[in-house]
């Protein structure tokens, strides 16, 4: 009996070994396939890595630049090859400005507690280009037309097609750039340049009003919105009532503030950009400002090695009278209470990106004797 038991035990052990080897042989091809696929993903994702590995970049005056410029002058140029490039000194100057903006944003996020876990990161408006390793949070009315065009070029649409198509640029872009998750953004940030373009909140609001309300396409969404604003806020029984077919600026502002008070979803063209970019929840490498956009976007293009793909340009300078020239006229129609409301609406846009509104209080109508503080 003992001999039979030992033989059975040996047979059982042999059977287990055979089963293990058979399972290993069956799973091995799948394991190899997964490893190869993962390696191919990493290669395709990293083959044009250009940023965020400090060992690959020298730092001068708190600014990063690639050592390759010593051989090819690819990051900056002294003017002999491409007039669109920043010179070495200007490149480093703008780089220092970017360092200061990043530090300011980081400090304000901490001071205001906006980087805490209680605040949710929002990824909806981001576009990730894996081929050229750039990540952009699209802020409408802050050079968004220009950079949507650029991202479409980077998505391999041709300039000829983009110039003749009637399709909405954002819809074209979303065919190539899926709405990302927070995790996708953070993973891509490891080897990408993350940037956003900001603008003085009240200039952005005036631009949105001029573009989307005053010059709304007939029967469009914003044209219908304008009609609703007029119906609700215009007092037609007064002799001095306006006759324009579009809402006056004070009517539009009253509408925006009331929608905010009622906690309704605001239009993306005047929603505070801190609401949908959540800049305190992601690390931004480059913060471009509308006021210095010419130099800032050249810096970005050079830093991301995009000189052969895109050029610094303005795709939409606005419709009708230039918004900047129209600012005083528009805000002179508001009273102090309305301006206070706008500050409360855009408070974090002001604070995080170092904008002020003191000069606007000199423009608006005084509706009480209190100082704005």
């Amino acid at each position: 009996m003992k001999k039979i038991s030992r033989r059975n035990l040996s047979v059982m052990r042999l059977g287990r070994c055979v089963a293990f080897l058979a399972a290993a042989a069956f799973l091995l091809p799948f394991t190899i396939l997964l490893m190869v696929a993962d390696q191919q993903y990493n290669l395709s994702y990293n083959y044009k890595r250009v940023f965020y590995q400090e060992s690959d970049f020298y730092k001068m005056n708190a600014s990063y630049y690639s050592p390759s410029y010593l051989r090819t002058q690819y990051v900056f140029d002294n003017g002999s090859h491409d007039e669109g490039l920043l010179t070495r000194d200007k490149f480093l100057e703008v780089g220092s400005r970017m360092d200061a903006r990043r530090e300011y944003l980081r400090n304000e996020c901490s001071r205001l507690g906006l980087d805490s876990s209680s605040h949710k990161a929002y990824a909806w408006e981001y576009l990730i280009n894996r081929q050229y390793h750039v990540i952009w949070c699209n802020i409408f009315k802050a050079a968004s037309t220009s950079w949507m065009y650029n991202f479409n070029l980077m998505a391999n649409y041709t300039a000829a097609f983009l110039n003749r198509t009637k399709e909405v640029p954002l819809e074209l872009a979303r065919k190539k750039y899926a709405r990302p998750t927070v995790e996708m953004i953070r993973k891509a940030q490891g080897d990408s340049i993350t940037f956003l373009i900001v603008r003085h909140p009240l200039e952005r609001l005036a631009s949105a009003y001029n573009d989307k309300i005053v010059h709304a396409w007939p029967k469009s969404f914003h044209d219908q919105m304008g009609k609703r604003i007029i119906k609700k806020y215009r007092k037609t029984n007064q002799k001095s009532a306006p006759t324009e077919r579009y809402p006056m600026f004070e009517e539009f502002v009253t509408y925006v503030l009331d929608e905010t008070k009622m906690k309704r979803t605001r239009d993306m063209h005047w929603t505070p950009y801190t609401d949908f970019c959540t800049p305190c929840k992601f690390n931004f490498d480059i913060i471009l400002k509308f006021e210095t956009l010419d130099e800032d976007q050249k810096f970005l293009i050079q830093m991301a090695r995009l000189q052969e793909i895109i050029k610094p340009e303005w795709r939409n300078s606005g419709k009708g009278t230039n918004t900047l020239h129209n600012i005083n006229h528009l805000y002179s129609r508001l009273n102090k209470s309305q301006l206070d409301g706008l500050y409360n609406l855009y408070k974090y846009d002001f604070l995080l990106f170092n904008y002020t509104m003191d000069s606007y209080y000199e423009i608006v109508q005084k509706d009480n004797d209190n100082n704005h503080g």
Side-chain angles (χ1 to χ4, degrees), residues 82-212:
D82 189 339
E83 294 181 358
L85 297 179
L86 297 176
T87 64
R88 177 183 182 280
D89 290 342
K90 179 58 70 173
F91 183 90
L92 296 178
E93 176 188 324
V94 177
S96 295
R97 186 161 71 215
M98 295 303 166
D99 290 338
R101 288 175 182 173
R102 282 196 305 271
E103 184 68 16
Y104 186 91
L105 175 61
R106 189 160 45 241
N107 290 339
E108 285 297 290
C109 287
S110 177
R111 183 179 72 85
L112 297 168
L114 296 178
D115 54 358
S116 67
S117 58
S118 62
H119 292 275
K120 185 179 179 180
Y122 187 55
W124 190 252
E125 296 297 340
Y126 284 77
L127 293 89
I128 303 174
N129 186 291
R130 292 179 180 270
Q131 182 178 0
Y132 296 102
H133 295 263
V134 286
I135 304 170
W136 171 47
C137 184
N138 172 31
I139 295 175
F140 295 93
K141 306 313 300 175
S144 57
T145 301
S146 298
W147 278 92
M148 195 64 68
Y149 179 84
N150 292 338
F151 264 70
N152 279 331
L153 285 177
M154 288 188 282
N156 298 317
Y157 290 113
T158 65
F161 169 77
L162 293 175
N163 291 333
R164 73 170 181 268
T165 184
K166 300 299 182 182
E167 290 193 62
V168 177
L170 177 58
E171 293 178 1
L172 283 175
R174 285 303 176 191
K175 292 178 181 179
K176 301 294 184 76
Y177 302 100
R179 299 278 185 182
T181 64
V182 173
E183 291 71 24
M184 289 170 62
I185 294 174
R186 287 179 176 156
K187 181 177 181 179
Q189 281 191 307
D191 58 5
S192 300
I193 294 177
T194 307
F195 75 96
L196 82 168
I197 305 171
V198 298
R199 184 178 188 177
H200 191 288
L202 299 190
E203 284 187 14
R204 176 172 171 255
L205 180 66
S207 177
Y209 166 74
N210 185 58
D211 189 22
K212 298 300 177 182

